[in-house]
Amino acid sequence: MQPLEADDPSTIGPYRLVARLGAGGMGRVYLARSAGGRTVAVKVVRPELADDPDFRARFRREVAAAQSVDAAYTARVVDADRDSATPWLATSYVLGPSLNEAVATYGPLPEHSVRALGAVLAEALGAIHGAGLIHRDLKPSNVLLAADGPRVIDFGIARAFDGGDLTSTGVVVGSPGFMSPEQASGRAVGPEGDVFSLGSVLAFAATGHGPFGQDSVASLLYRVVHDAPDLEPVPAGLREAIGACLAKAPEDRPTPAQLLGMLAPDGAQAVLRGSWLPADVASGIAQHAARVMELETPTPHNPVGADPRGAAVGQQQPEHGTFVLGGQPGANTPPASSAPALGAAQPSRRKLLYGALGVAAIAVAGGGTALALAGGGKPKPTPTPTLAASPSVTPTTFPTRPSGVPPQPLWTYTADGTVGSAPVATDGRVLFAGSSATALDARRGTPAWTGPQVNDGILMPPIGLGGGFAVMLTNDRKLVGLNPANGAQLWSSSGTNDLQFEYLLGVSDQAAFILGNKYPLDAKGMPVITMGANYSAVMAVDLHTRKVLWTEPRNASASNQVLGFATDKYLVYTNDLNNVVVRSATNGTQLWSQDFGEPKWSTQAMPLLVGDTIYLPGPEIIGYGLDHGDRRFTSKPAPKGTYLGLTHADGFLYASNLGTAQVMAVDLKSGAIAWEAAVPPDLMGTPLVVVGGTVFCVSLVSGSSEGIAAIDRSNGKVLWTFQDGVDSTDDWALSTDGTLLYGAHHSRVYALPPI
């Protein structure tokens, strides 16, 4: 990676450029970010090619071909402009090094890693060939290693089966050490040629060099065509599969499906379980991801309207033009006191739609707030908490401060995009979704792993915990299950053309509950995704079999503004019509529903479960029995407004009141207001969080500037307010593991002491 130069544009299409990744025969490749913080690799066409009508036709075909590949282990084309003065395409950025870089840095991979690599690449090739494509340039630099599995990239010289060569007659295109014999001799290349290249890639991964040596181009081409591969250094358990791929006659090579069966009889996912990469490589991937996340967008330097084609000239060899960021020095996490410059403030995604979506995941996970059990007694201060002992943390009390002085963050982490929902704490990890799912060490703030990229639209999907998995929807509408400890992807599941997965509503130990939608199909039977369509169905997907357990239609008049959670027996959610709906988690039957919050009010409500009662905010706080929907509790009316952002501890509900600019404690026995604190809550009614003797509220600390207010639970006294100085309209989101307070704001995640 290199910094941007003076002749580089500041933006390409809707993407702000961050750095150069490389260059090749087609043009330059940049690391870039969308306005929502999504990280992509943007390939920009050289100007002399852009002016060539024949090239433009080929480029349009390349983009269309790449977009037709829908595979879990390829870098997807997420955007493109095929007809502008400077054509470009953007692919999802894979947070990991190339196989070429990994082997150069750490040495050959062990047998189990090569087996997993081969199984996944075989599955990817099967999908590529199934779309009518041939890769034609599969080599170590076009294979990226991510924590959740490898990815095949760069379809720059792929061609469709139905014709349309992207090369001139008689010209051999590819990488000599990894070509098939038919490609090296200039003959027609079919899908079997990719299998041969895969065999060479696997031999390289296992030994550190290709199976035909590292001689001159002419010598390599001769050996590929005429000589037997040198497989002696390859582990014995892999020689049969790799040798079969390297058969000289195309018809003697296995298909990708047959190769997958040879390497992983139980499927690619089976060999990715656990740690599929050596520890040093996995650690390097985490460090690589952290460095990418820390990169800030440079200040724009080109005048508005400048033609970016002048920046698209590059003469480096294609080998260096892969979508990967090389190593660079730098710490994993910026110091807590640092405040790197951030880009211009963007409209808050959570202000566009009530954004306490992460709380649904916390409710399921038991993150110290939503699933607290009902208890009696007046709130009492609790002793000063201490950090739990762990191999990396010495138990200690939090430092004391003068009264009214806010604490310094114990750590600060800058994510790879806007963090749109509350972090989820579990087993020493803090999980959150920026552009990618990320897990941090809960006590140190250092990255533990980085997972799939997630949708950077208005609905930031939360990460749910259930069945031993961290469950989320990726940006390509796939439901995935990750190992919460190391981020390894254990499985994935997709919707159908008839019903696409859209939004993760809640997770139990048995199932994930998803909102879906049916879209019109194009001539090829593929869904035509449109923005703004109301989600038409709710469904359950078994976490262990990945089968859809049930599907039920939704009220067509209800919008996409749905918040909820799941237990083993029930799915509970609210909508913008102020209905609370409870369904059977087993079969989807609607057991009961109730209207709440009369008269209708505009802010959507997150249901709160305390024991076996669901509490809902509004002009009054109403409690319904979970089993039958019987009304069990009604609070005193909220003075001059509505209750928002419910949480609970020790027999009291805590809520904010936008009308009176206060936070209130409500007695669960009498429904009376126990105290009122003069804390202006944020406009969206973000759920409050309780840790020990303190209740925390996202607050309009000064004017429209948000921060965190800490309130003594025993008497409503405001203890301190905290602001991070980040100039952003993005809202805060809060959560806890019962010991520390975790806050997310813009692209930052903080850990704060709770006193």
Side-chain angles (χ1 to χ4, degrees), residues 596-597 601 603-608 615-622 642-646 655:
F596 67 93
W601 51 295
T603 302
Q604 195 187 356
M606 177 69 192
L608 172 70
Y615 294 91
L616 295 154
E620 302 169 321
I621 301 174
I622 302 174
T642 60
Y643 294 103
L644 301 169
L646 291 182

Side-chain angles (χ1 to χ4, degrees), residues 373-671:
L373 296 177
K378 189 174 179 62
K380 298 181 177 62
T382 57
T384 301
T386 59
L387 289 174
S390 75
S392 60
V393 178
T394 302
T396 180
T397 57
F398 300 119
T400 58
R401 305 178 311 281
S403 177
V405 175
Q408 289 293 314
L410 301 174
W411 52 256
T412 303
Y413 187 85
T414 302
D416 66 343
T418 299
V419 181
S421 55
V424 179
T426 177
D427 294 332
R429 297 278 190 263
V430 177
L431 282 61
F432 62 88
S435 286
S436 303
T438 302
L440 307 178
D441 183 288
R443 294 300 182 262
R444 294 179 296 179
T446 53
W449 52 262
T450 300
Q453 292 191 316
V454 298
N455 193 324
D456 66 349
I458 292 174
L459 286 172
M460 283 297 290
I463 300 173
L465 298 171
F469 307 113
V471 182
M472 61 178 291
L473 283 177
T474 63
N475 60 350
D476 54 357
R477 293 179 168 81
K478 285 186 171 63
L479 183 71
V480 299
L482 309 180
N483 183 328
N486 59 23
Q489 182 172 316
L490 305 178
W491 51 263
S492 68
S493 178
S494 300
T496 65
N497 284 358
D498 289 335
L499 201 59
Q500 295 285 303
F501 292 164
E502 294 287 353
Y503 171 57
L504 182 62
L505 183 57
V507 180
S508 70
D509 281 339
Q510 182 62 35
F513 300 89
I514 301 170
L515 296 181
N517 203 18
K518 186 173 184 178
Y519 295 100
L521 305 181
D522 62 17
K524 296 182 179 180
M526 300 300 292
V528 180
I529 306 298
T530 56
M531 297 298 293
N534 287 356
Y535 300 153
S536 59
V538 58
M539 65 192 81
V541 178
D542 191 293
L543 296 181
H544 307 284
T545 66
R546 268 76 72 193
K547 294 181 179 179
V548 175
L549 296 174
W550 51 261
T551 301
E552 292 291 334
R554 288 187 65 229
N555 184 339
S557 63
S559 79
N560 298 343
Q561 300 184 44
V562 180
L563 296 174
F565 61 87
T567 71
D568 288 341
K569 293 178 62 177
Y570 302 106
L571 172 65
V572 182
Y573 59 90
T574 62
N575 58 34
D576 65 335
L577 300 178
N578 289 343
N579 306 134
V580 57
V581 178
V582 176
R583 293 183 180 273
S584 165
T586 303
N587 57 28
T589 300
Q590 181 171 309
L591 302 176
W592 60 267
S593 68
Q594 294 280 8
D595 291 336
F596 67 93
E598 297 291 350
K600 300 298 183 183
W601 51 295
S602 59
T603 302
Q604 195 187 356
M606 177 69 192
L608 172 70
L609 179 63
V610 181
D612 61 353
T613 303
I614 300 169
Y615 294 91
L616 295 154
E620 302 169 321
I621 301 174
I622 302 174
Y624 296 104
L626 178 60
D627 292 331
H628 304 293
D630 52 307
R631 189 158 176 161
R632 296 179 176 179
F633 175 85
T634 304
S635 74
K636 304 299 183 188
K640 301 179 182 179
T642 60
Y643 294 103
L644 301 169
L646 291 182
T647 191
H648 162 268
D650 299 325
F652 286 79
L653 295 173
Y654 299 93
S656 57
N657 184 342
L658 192 60
T660 60
Q662 292 177 322
V663 170
M664 301 177 173
V666 177
D667 191 317
L668 266 178
K669 291 182 178 179
S670 65

Side-chain angles (χ1 to χ4, degrees), residues 686-720:
T686 304
L688 283 62
V689 170
V690 169
V691 191
T694 310
V695 59
F696 296 93
C697 173
V698 175
S699 172
L700 296 175
V701 176
S702 59
S704 61
S705 179
E706 287 188 359
I708 303 172
I711 305 166
D712 188 324
R713 281 208 295 126
S714 66
N715 56 24
K717 178 183 177 182
V718 178
L719 302 174
W720 47 261

Side-chain angles (χ1 to χ4, degrees), residues 236-254:
L238 297 171
R239 286 178 199 157
E240 180 182 1
I242 293 177
C245 294
L246 296 175
K248 298 297 183 187
E251 63 272 16
D252 292 338
R253 300 169 200 154

